[in-house]
Short mmCIF file of all heavy atoms in Angstrom, two decimals:
data_model
loop_
_atom_site.label_atom_id
_atom_site.label_comp_id
_atom_site.label_asym_id
_atom_site.label_seq_id
_atom_site.Cartn_x
_atom_site.Cartn_y
_atom_site.Cartn_z
N GLU A 899 -128.82 68.96 -47.17
CA GLU A 899 -129.69 67.87 -46.78
C GLU A 899 -131.12 68.29 -47.00
O GLU A 899 -131.46 69.47 -46.81
CB GLU A 899 -129.49 67.53 -45.29
CG GLU A 899 -128.25 66.75 -45.04
CD GLU A 899 -128.23 66.21 -43.61
OE1 GLU A 899 -129.30 66.04 -43.03
OE2 GLU A 899 -127.14 65.97 -43.13
N GLY A 900 -131.94 67.35 -47.38
CA GLY A 900 -133.34 67.63 -47.62
C GLY A 900 -134.13 67.94 -46.39
O GLY A 900 -133.61 67.88 -45.27
N SER A 901 -135.35 68.24 -46.60
CA SER A 901 -136.20 68.65 -45.49
C SER A 901 -136.45 67.49 -44.54
O SER A 901 -136.78 66.40 -44.96
CB SER A 901 -137.55 69.13 -46.07
OG SER A 901 -138.40 69.45 -44.99
N THR A 902 -136.29 67.78 -43.29
CA THR A 902 -136.65 66.79 -42.26
C THR A 902 -137.86 67.32 -41.51
O THR A 902 -138.24 66.74 -40.49
CB THR A 902 -135.49 66.58 -41.27
OG1 THR A 902 -135.14 67.84 -40.70
CG2 THR A 902 -134.31 65.96 -41.98
N ARG A 903 -138.43 68.40 -41.98
CA ARG A 903 -139.57 68.99 -41.30
C ARG A 903 -140.81 68.15 -41.55
O ARG A 903 -140.98 67.55 -42.60
CB ARG A 903 -139.81 70.39 -41.82
CG ARG A 903 -138.72 71.34 -41.49
CD ARG A 903 -139.06 72.71 -42.05
NE ARG A 903 -137.95 73.58 -41.87
CZ ARG A 903 -137.06 73.84 -42.83
NH1 ARG A 903 -137.19 73.29 -44.00
NH2 ARG A 903 -136.10 74.66 -42.61
N THR A 904 -141.69 68.12 -40.59
CA THR A 904 -142.94 67.46 -40.73
C THR A 904 -144.01 68.48 -40.40
O THR A 904 -143.73 69.49 -39.79
CB THR A 904 -143.09 66.25 -39.82
OG1 THR A 904 -142.91 66.67 -38.50
CG2 THR A 904 -142.08 65.15 -40.16
N THR A 905 -145.27 68.19 -40.75
CA THR A 905 -146.28 69.16 -40.42
C THR A 905 -146.64 69.13 -38.95
O THR A 905 -147.10 70.12 -38.41
CB THR A 905 -147.57 68.85 -41.25
OG1 THR A 905 -147.92 67.50 -41.02
CG2 THR A 905 -147.31 69.12 -42.71
N ALA A 906 -146.39 68.02 -38.30
CA ALA A 906 -146.64 67.93 -36.87
C ALA A 906 -145.30 67.71 -36.17
O ALA A 906 -144.38 67.19 -36.76
CB ALA A 906 -147.57 66.75 -36.59
N PRO A 907 -145.19 68.14 -34.93
CA PRO A 907 -143.92 67.94 -34.26
C PRO A 907 -143.62 66.43 -34.13
O PRO A 907 -144.52 65.60 -34.00
CB PRO A 907 -144.15 68.54 -32.85
CG PRO A 907 -145.52 69.06 -32.82
CD PRO A 907 -146.18 68.77 -34.14
N ARG A 908 -142.35 66.13 -34.22
CA ARG A 908 -141.95 64.72 -34.09
C ARG A 908 -142.11 64.27 -32.66
O ARG A 908 -141.83 64.98 -31.72
CB ARG A 908 -140.50 64.55 -34.50
CG ARG A 908 -140.28 64.70 -35.96
CD ARG A 908 -138.88 64.38 -36.26
NE ARG A 908 -138.72 64.33 -37.70
CZ ARG A 908 -137.67 63.88 -38.29
NH1 ARG A 908 -136.67 63.42 -37.62
NH2 ARG A 908 -137.63 63.87 -39.61
N THR A 909 -142.63 63.07 -32.51
CA THR A 909 -142.75 62.48 -31.18
C THR A 909 -142.12 61.12 -31.22
O THR A 909 -142.06 60.46 -32.22
CB THR A 909 -144.23 62.33 -30.77
OG1 THR A 909 -144.88 61.52 -31.72
CG2 THR A 909 -144.93 63.70 -30.67
N ARG A 910 -141.61 60.73 -30.06
CA ARG A 910 -141.02 59.40 -29.98
C ARG A 910 -142.13 58.41 -29.81
O ARG A 910 -143.17 58.69 -29.22
CB ARG A 910 -140.10 59.30 -28.75
CG ARG A 910 -138.81 60.03 -28.99
CD ARG A 910 -137.87 59.69 -27.89
NE ARG A 910 -137.95 60.75 -26.91
CZ ARG A 910 -137.51 60.67 -25.67
NH1 ARG A 910 -136.97 59.58 -25.26
NH2 ARG A 910 -137.64 61.68 -24.86
N PRO A 911 -141.93 57.19 -30.36
CA PRO A 911 -142.97 56.16 -30.16
C PRO A 911 -143.07 55.82 -28.68
O PRO A 911 -142.08 55.90 -27.96
CB PRO A 911 -142.47 54.99 -30.99
CG PRO A 911 -141.03 55.24 -31.24
CD PRO A 911 -140.82 56.70 -31.14
N PRO A 912 -144.28 55.49 -28.23
CA PRO A 912 -144.41 55.18 -26.82
C PRO A 912 -143.59 53.95 -26.43
O PRO A 912 -143.51 53.00 -27.17
CB PRO A 912 -145.91 54.93 -26.67
CG PRO A 912 -146.40 54.63 -28.02
CD PRO A 912 -145.49 55.32 -28.98
N VAL A 913 -142.98 54.03 -25.29
CA VAL A 913 -142.20 52.93 -24.76
C VAL A 913 -142.94 52.40 -23.55
O VAL A 913 -143.24 53.15 -22.60
CB VAL A 913 -140.79 53.41 -24.36
CG1 VAL A 913 -139.98 52.29 -23.76
CG2 VAL A 913 -140.10 53.99 -25.59
N ALA A 914 -143.24 51.11 -23.56
CA ALA A 914 -143.94 50.50 -22.43
C ALA A 914 -142.97 50.34 -21.28
O ALA A 914 -141.85 49.89 -21.42
CB ALA A 914 -144.50 49.14 -22.84
N ARG A 915 -143.42 50.80 -20.13
CA ARG A 915 -142.64 50.63 -18.93
C ARG A 915 -143.33 49.60 -18.08
O ARG A 915 -144.43 49.83 -17.59
CB ARG A 915 -142.53 51.97 -18.19
CG ARG A 915 -141.77 53.00 -19.03
CD ARG A 915 -141.80 54.33 -18.34
NE ARG A 915 -143.20 54.76 -18.31
CZ ARG A 915 -143.58 55.92 -17.76
NH1 ARG A 915 -142.74 56.74 -17.24
NH2 ARG A 915 -144.86 56.27 -17.77
N PRO A 916 -142.70 48.46 -17.86
CA PRO A 916 -143.37 47.39 -17.12
C PRO A 916 -143.82 47.87 -15.76
O PRO A 916 -143.10 48.52 -14.98
CB PRO A 916 -142.28 46.33 -16.98
CG PRO A 916 -141.27 46.64 -18.04
CD PRO A 916 -141.37 48.11 -18.29
N GLY A 917 -145.05 47.54 -15.43
CA GLY A 917 -145.59 47.86 -14.14
C GLY A 917 -146.08 49.30 -14.00
O GLY A 917 -146.61 49.66 -13.00
N ARG A 918 -145.89 50.14 -14.99
CA ARG A 918 -146.30 51.53 -14.88
C ARG A 918 -147.40 51.91 -15.87
O ARG A 918 -148.26 52.67 -15.54
CB ARG A 918 -145.11 52.48 -15.08
CG ARG A 918 -144.12 52.37 -13.99
CD ARG A 918 -143.10 53.41 -14.17
NE ARG A 918 -142.20 53.41 -13.02
CZ ARG A 918 -141.33 54.32 -12.82
NH1 ARG A 918 -141.25 55.36 -13.58
NH2 ARG A 918 -140.54 54.25 -11.75
N ASP A 919 -147.25 51.46 -17.10
CA ASP A 919 -148.18 51.90 -18.13
C ASP A 919 -149.47 51.08 -18.05
O ASP A 919 -149.46 49.84 -17.91
CB ASP A 919 -147.57 51.75 -19.50
CG ASP A 919 -146.52 52.78 -19.76
OD1 ASP A 919 -146.53 53.79 -19.06
OD2 ASP A 919 -145.66 52.54 -20.63
N ARG A 920 -150.56 51.75 -18.10
CA ARG A 920 -151.87 51.10 -18.10
C ARG A 920 -152.52 51.52 -19.39
O ARG A 920 -152.63 52.69 -19.70
CB ARG A 920 -152.70 51.56 -16.93
CG ARG A 920 -152.04 51.47 -15.59
CD ARG A 920 -151.67 50.09 -15.18
NE ARG A 920 -152.85 49.28 -15.05
CZ ARG A 920 -152.82 47.96 -15.11
NH1 ARG A 920 -151.69 47.31 -15.27
NH2 ARG A 920 -153.93 47.29 -15.01
N GLY A 921 -152.94 50.60 -20.13
CA GLY A 921 -153.62 50.90 -21.40
C GLY A 921 -154.37 49.68 -21.87
O GLY A 921 -154.42 48.66 -21.20
N PRO A 922 -154.96 49.78 -23.02
CA PRO A 922 -155.71 48.66 -23.58
C PRO A 922 -154.77 47.45 -23.71
O PRO A 922 -153.66 47.55 -24.19
CB PRO A 922 -156.19 49.12 -24.91
CG PRO A 922 -155.96 50.58 -24.97
CD PRO A 922 -154.98 50.91 -23.92
N GLY A 923 -155.19 46.32 -23.19
CA GLY A 923 -154.39 45.13 -23.30
C GLY A 923 -153.31 44.97 -22.25
O GLY A 923 -152.54 44.03 -22.28
N ALA A 924 -153.23 45.94 -21.31
CA ALA A 924 -152.21 45.86 -20.28
C ALA A 924 -152.59 44.79 -19.26
O ALA A 924 -153.76 44.59 -18.95
CB ALA A 924 -152.04 47.20 -19.59
N ARG A 925 -151.59 44.09 -18.73
CA ARG A 925 -151.85 43.09 -17.71
C ARG A 925 -152.13 43.78 -16.39
O ARG A 925 -151.52 44.77 -16.07
CB ARG A 925 -150.59 42.22 -17.55
CG ARG A 925 -150.31 41.32 -18.67
CD ARG A 925 -149.19 40.35 -18.34
NE ARG A 925 -148.47 40.68 -17.13
CZ ARG A 925 -147.17 40.85 -17.06
NH1 ARG A 925 -146.44 40.75 -18.10
NH2 ARG A 925 -146.59 41.15 -15.91
N PRO A 926 -153.02 43.21 -15.61
CA PRO A 926 -153.28 43.81 -14.29
C PRO A 926 -152.05 43.58 -13.41
O PRO A 926 -151.33 42.60 -13.55
CB PRO A 926 -154.49 43.06 -13.77
CG PRO A 926 -154.66 41.87 -14.62
CD PRO A 926 -153.91 42.13 -15.88
N ARG A 927 -151.84 44.53 -12.50
CA ARG A 927 -150.75 44.39 -11.55
C ARG A 927 -151.10 43.45 -10.45
O ARG A 927 -152.31 43.26 -10.11
CB ARG A 927 -150.41 45.75 -10.95
CG ARG A 927 -149.83 46.70 -11.94
CD ARG A 927 -149.39 47.95 -11.22
NE ARG A 927 -149.59 49.05 -12.14
CZ ARG A 927 -149.73 50.29 -11.76
NH1 ARG A 927 -149.70 50.60 -10.50
NH2 ARG A 927 -149.89 51.21 -12.68
N GLY A 928 -150.08 42.88 -9.83
CA GLY A 928 -150.33 42.04 -8.65
C GLY A 928 -150.67 40.61 -9.02
O GLY A 928 -150.63 40.22 -10.20
N PRO A 929 -151.02 39.85 -8.01
CA PRO A 929 -151.32 38.43 -8.22
C PRO A 929 -152.63 38.31 -8.99
O PRO A 929 -153.49 39.18 -8.96
CB PRO A 929 -151.45 37.86 -6.80
CG PRO A 929 -151.73 39.02 -5.94
CD PRO A 929 -151.09 40.21 -6.58
N PRO A 930 -152.77 37.22 -9.73
CA PRO A 930 -154.01 37.03 -10.47
C PRO A 930 -155.23 36.95 -9.53
O PRO A 930 -155.13 36.40 -8.45
CB PRO A 930 -153.81 35.68 -11.20
CG PRO A 930 -152.51 35.13 -10.75
CD PRO A 930 -151.84 36.13 -9.88
N GLN A 931 -156.31 37.52 -9.96
CA GLN A 931 -157.53 37.56 -9.16
C GLN A 931 -158.56 36.55 -9.70
O GLN A 931 -158.57 36.31 -10.89
CB GLN A 931 -158.16 38.96 -9.21
CG GLN A 931 -157.25 40.08 -8.70
CD GLN A 931 -157.03 39.95 -7.21
OE1 GLN A 931 -157.92 39.57 -6.45
NE2 GLN A 931 -155.81 40.23 -6.78
N PRO A 932 -159.35 35.98 -8.81
CA PRO A 932 -160.39 35.09 -9.33
C PRO A 932 -161.37 35.86 -10.20
O PRO A 932 -161.47 37.08 -10.06
CB PRO A 932 -161.11 34.58 -8.06
CG PRO A 932 -160.33 35.10 -6.90
CD PRO A 932 -159.32 36.08 -7.40
N GLU A 933 -162.00 35.18 -11.12
CA GLU A 933 -162.92 35.83 -12.04
C GLU A 933 -164.04 36.53 -11.32
O GLU A 933 -164.59 36.03 -10.36
CB GLU A 933 -163.51 34.79 -13.00
CG GLU A 933 -164.16 35.46 -14.17
CD GLU A 933 -164.30 34.55 -15.35
OE1 GLU A 933 -163.44 33.72 -15.59
OE2 GLU A 933 -165.29 34.65 -16.03
N GLY A 934 -164.31 37.74 -11.75
CA GLY A 934 -165.37 38.54 -11.19
C GLY A 934 -164.90 39.42 -10.02
O GLY A 934 -165.63 40.28 -9.56
#
C-alpha cells in the first residue's frame, strides 16, 4: 500500500456538539435576549 503519511499529524475534523461548542457563528445559549 502506498504512503498514508502526511507531513502533519492527522486530525479529525471538528464535530460540533450542540450546547457545548462556542465559536464564530455559534448560537447563544438560553432564551433569546432583547437587543443590547
Side-chain angles (χ1 to χ4, degrees):
E899 284 191 24
S901 176
T902 57
R903 296 180 186 97
T904 58
T905 54
R908 289 186 172 191
T909 58
R910 285 191 265 163
V913 177
R915 296 175 295 181
R918 292 187 174 192
D919 289 339
R920 310 297 299 158
R925 290 188 349 236
R927 292 187 214 158
Q931 300 292 323
E933 194 159 323

